[in-house]
Amino acid sequence: MDSAEDVLIQLYDRWRGPLLHYVLRLVDNDYQQAEDVVQETLLRAWRHHDELKPDEAAPWLYTVARNLVISGYRRRGAKATEVPIEPADLPVVSDEVEHVLQVWQIADALRRLSHEHRTVVVELYYRRRTVAEAAKVLGVPPGTVKSRCFYALRALRDALEERGVTES
């Protein structure tokens, strides 16, 4: 297994140029802002080095970079406009990459929840049970289901924001 430093070096060597080119278009050719976004993207990749393979990291990196640009626009109160990624910017991948990336990020965030929080989310959102049904299946009072759901969703939101996934 590669160390965090090795992964970062591989990510930097492979993706810094293409990411910078992509982000420059998103920020109206503001080189300093683009460089800041690329550095933050690579910093977040370093934090997740154990989950990323440098040759397969493009969808994750481009999503984080795009979300950082959008978050920057929101902080400044401007409206963000999405610039589509052109085929020359990315290696050929399936049309479902965005969906797969989101599913992967959500599944990873779910795995990091406590067992109690994860089971409540699964019962309510994946198995589509009511609070009363989930309470019965889990053997806890409905109030406990509601409380666990509240804290689980907050933890999921925080975990996804940490990965650069923000609300639209």
Side-chain angles (χ1 to χ4, degrees), residues 39-146:
Q39 287 180 8
E40 179 64 24
T41 301
L42 291 171
L43 174 65
R44 290 182 183 198
W46 174 72
R47 290 180 184 150
H48 297 279
H49 73 277
D50 55 332
E51 304 164 14
L52 295 173
K53 294 180 183 175
D55 290 338
E56 299 171 5
W60 192 92
L61 292 168
Y62 279 86
T63 298
V64 170
R66 183 188 71 231
N67 288 335
L68 286 169
V69 169
I70 292 169
S71 294
Y73 278 111
R74 285 184 182 147
R75 276 193 298 278
R76 289 189 302 276
K79 294 217 183 248
T81 56
E82 273 197 46
V83 176
I85 298 174
E86 294 189 21
D89 294 337
L90 283 175
V92 177
V93 290
S94 78
D95 292 338
E96 297 182 5
V97 168
E98 188 73 25
H99 176 71
V100 169
L101 178 62
Q102 289 174 351
V103 169
W104 171 74
Q105 290 172 329
I106 292 169
D108 185 55
L110 269 171
R111 279 192 296 276
R112 294 174 190 268
L113 292 178
S114 70
H115 175 74
E116 291 81 13
H117 288 157
R118 184 175 48 253
T119 56
V120 164
V121 170
V122 168
E123 292 299 323
L124 293 175
Y125 292 97
Y126 288 94
R127 294 192 176 136
R128 300 188 180 274
R129 297 188 197 275
T130 66
V131 170
E133 291 169 340
K136 185 175 179 180
V137 168
L138 298 172
V140 297
T144 302
V145 171
K146 290 178 186 178

